[in-house]
Amino acid sequence: MKSSQQIVRLRKTLLAHYDACGRSLPWRIRPEDRAAGVIADPYKVWLSEIMCQQTTVSAVTPYWHKFLQKWPCVENLACAPRDEVLAAWAGLGYYARARNLHKCAGMIMDEFGGVFPNTEAGLLKLPGVGPYTAAAISSICYGEATNIVDGNVERVISRLRMVQALLPKARTEIRILAGVIADPKRAGDYGQALMDLGSQVCKPKNPKCGMCPWEFACLAGKAGVAEDYPKKIKKQTRPVRYGAVFYLENGGEILLRRRPDKGLLGGMMELPGTEWGAEREAVDKMLAHAPSSHNWQQCAKEVSHVFTHFTLYLNVFVAQGGDVNTGIWASLDRLDTYALPSLMRKAIRSAQSL
Ligand code: SF4
């Protein structure tokens, strides 16, 4: 089969597969809805795309509904206090996304008159919107013929063409190969169809080649070596860091503080604690960082949390008492209104079970 004929067939079979069994997601306009004149709302699509970065659809869905209920349009979100947005995001991880979300909503109101840019190039200027997200929003909402490439698409294309170069270096080659196949006529549906293929059929382990619309052309699938692709530089083992936090409770309140805006968990709330280092410190050294000289008791088990670049083990110390004037005293009844990341919620649960 000539390569131009194969590309036509790849587009056709993928879109037919999407029309028949693509996922119905709350933010997605299905082909039949689009045909009936329903138009994608860029605010809803943007929200979903930012939330779905490095997070599963099932984890995102309740947050997406919550955000739309609290802030039905970009103006509402822009006017919300940033702390409220961070608190609503708590638990979803990668908190720079929430800070950028709020900043971006402000920019849309202040610089774009409340209207999202309608091109990939325009969207790329927004905080928190990278090449993949800009391409996805502009094709889904405005039908721009973009080339959407995320981790799922990299996997599918590298298997389809048996790309031998190693990721991340192979990205440029994969992007070019993907761009040749992308369908300019149904740009939004095509991109979503390819993402569905990657997440539902061409999975990292046990790809369902027998159910795949691209089986007829897939080199790795035919050779029975799909799981060997994409080829990647071997990951180094994740480093480990250690630290301690201090849970001080007094009259139904606990002591919190805010992390600096820049860096990991920037702007989020936390229990006071030590720096995170490569060595596990002795107890007296950890206690030197306690916010007071109360009678601290150590929880038997450390709390662990896996970040992208390291695993953290936190010792949790617990004491009762007040007389501390630094930080913020937070009511235990209203903890859910504070922007506490999952790590700190785990540490608080551990402290409360002592
Ligand atoms: S045939 Fe198999 S390996 Fe190839 S794209 Fe389809 S699911 Fe992936």
Side-chain angles (χ1 to χ4, degrees):
M1 191 187 295
K2 272 195 195 160
S3 100
S4 58
Q5 285 175 332
Q6 192 197 59
I7 285 167
V8 171
R9 191 168 162 202
L10 285 169
R11 290 174 181 166
K12 221 170 145 182
T13 50
L14 181 64
L15 284 165
H17 184 261
Y18 179 67
D19 290 345
C21 49
R23 283 177 298 176
S24 286
L25 303 174
W27 48 83
R28 180 176 278 182
I29 307 293
R30 290 276 310 141
E32 55 273 21
D33 301 327
R34 211 188 279 277
V38 181
I39 294 168
D41 178 343
Y43 173 64
K44 294 179 182 173
V45 174
W46 164 72
L47 206 52
S48 72
E49 291 296 341
I50 301 293
M51 287 181 168
C52 284
Q53 290 167 1
Q54 290 161 302
T55 309
T56 60
V57 163
S58 58
V60 162
T61 302
Y63 281 85
W64 184 82
H65 284 298
K66 176 169 72 174
F67 267 64
L68 277 179
Q69 207 174 18
K70 278 174 92 76
W71 304 295
C73 67
V74 69
E75 185 178 1
N76 301 144
L77 184 62
C79 294
R82 193 182 78 154
D83 265 4
E84 222 176 283
V85 175
L86 291 179
W89 191 278
L92 205 51
Y94 299 99
Y95 295 96
R97 294 183 297 173
R99 296 195 301 277
N100 278 329
L101 193 81
H102 189 247
K103 197 167 158 193
C104 184
M107 194 191 254
I108 297 283
M109 293 313 298
D110 297 342
E111 296 180 28
F112 296 92
V115 180
F116 277 81
N118 61 2
T119 61
E120 184 180 13
L123 287 157
L124 262 175
K125 294 183 182 140
L126 300 174
V129 175
Y132 160 76
T133 309
I137 299 171
S138 70
S139 67
I140 293 168
C141 299
Y142 309 115
E144 189 177 1
T146 58
N147 183 18
I148 303 178
V149 183
D150 69 349
N152 281 325
V153 175
E154 281 174 357
R155 184 169 59 255
V156 176
I157 298 294
S158 69
R159 289 173 176 177
L160 179 73
R161 299 304 195 205
M162 268 175 100
V163 173
Q164 296 305 318
L166 307 184
L167 278 174
K169 270 203 164 172
R171 284 216 168 106
T172 310
E173 182 184 349
I174 291 174
R175 173 165 284 279
I176 292 167
L177 292 169
V180 172
I181 308 170
D183 190 334
K185 292 199 198 111
R186 288 181 61 188
D189 287 342
Y190 176 86
Q192 293 176 104
L194 190 50
M195 286 188 275
D196 275 13
L197 188 70
S199 65
Q200 307 295 295
V201 181
C202 193
K203 294 169 176 257
K205 297 263 174 245
N206 300 320
K208 301 173 186 166
C209 299
M211 296 166 63
C212 178
W214 282 2
E215 193 185 17
F216 74 96
C218 181
L219 297 179
K222 280 183 191 167
V225 291
E227 285 191 21
D228 294 346
Y229 293 82
K231 296 201 177 281
K232 293 179 184 171
I233 291 174
K234 279 212 167 53
K235 270 194 189 153
Q236 293 174 342
T237 49
R238 196 181 263 120
V240 177
R241 291 197 198 163
Y242 303 93
V245 287
F246 301 95
Y247 177 98
L248 185 61
E249 185 176 336
N250 187 39
E253 294 182 325
I254 59 168
L255 186 66
L256 297 179
R257 68 181 182 187
R258 187 185 301 283
R259 290 180 65 82
D261 244 27
K262 289 243 180 309
L264 192 64
L265 308 178
M268 302 293 287
M269 304 300 289
E270 66 175 3
L271 296 171
T274 64
E275 299 277 311
W276 302 340
E279 305 288 334
R280 197 179 252 122
E281 301 278 11
V283 169
D284 58 335
K285 281 207 169 166
M286 291 190 265
L287 286 175
H289 296 270
S292 65
S293 52
H294 288 93
N295 180 24
W296 293 99
Q297 293 200 41
Q298 187 177 12
C299 291
K301 262 185 86 180
E302 287 170 315
V303 167
S304 66
H305 193 79
V306 179
F307 291 101
T308 312
H309 300 297
F310 64 94
T311 301
L312 176 69
Y313 290 95
L314 275 186
N315 265 287
V316 181
F317 292 88
V318 181
Q320 301 283 333
D323 292 335
V324 178
N325 297 321
T326 54
I328 297 157
W329 284 99
S331 163
L332 282 168
D333 293 339
R334 297 182 57 245
L335 269 194
D336 56 346
T337 64
Y338 288 87
L340 282 162
S342 306
L343 164 67
M344 289 300 150
R345 291 186 188 275
K346 273 190 220 171
I348 289 170
R349 278 198 297 276
S350 170
Q352 290 174 338
S353 66
L354 183 71

